[in-house]
Amino acid sequence: MEVLHQNNELGAQLFGTLFQKNSIQNIFRFLNEEGTVVSDLKVMLTLPKWIFIKATFRALRKLV
């Protein structure tokens, strides 16, 4: 969610990539937090990494 909050203009591209490179079942498991570590990692690896790394650091900064 942080990625879309900071980069809303990338939403269509991110979801397009997500649905092109993953099965619907894996996407729903991932979004519902019902997937395994391996299946979640596979979904995450299909998306641009740097955007999510930056979002993770922003979220961590908010916790400190």
Side-chain angles (χ1 to χ4, degrees):
M1 296 308 286
E2 177 69 21
V3 171
L4 292 176
H5 182 263
Q6 294 294 322
N7 304 288
N8 192 38
E9 70 280 0
L10 298 177
Q13 177 188 356
L14 291 173
F15 278 99
T17 300
L18 185 69
F19 282 91
Q20 284 177 346
K21 296 186 176 184
N22 297 283
S23 71
I24 297 296
Q25 293 85 0
N26 282 345
I27 293 169
F28 284 131
R29 279 190 217 111
F30 174 76
L31 294 174
N32 290 329
E33 299 179 2
E34 296 172 351
T36 65
V37 172
V38 173
S39 68
D40 286 353
L41 190 57
K42 285 180 182 179
V43 170
M44 287 186 263
L45 290 174
T46 64
L47 297 167
K49 284 104 185 122
W50 185 243
I51 295 170
F52 289 92
I53 291 169
K54 290 190 305 188
T56 300
F57 283 116
R58 277 195 300 271
L60 289 174
R61 267 191 260 136
K62 290 179 184 178
L63 294 175
V64 175

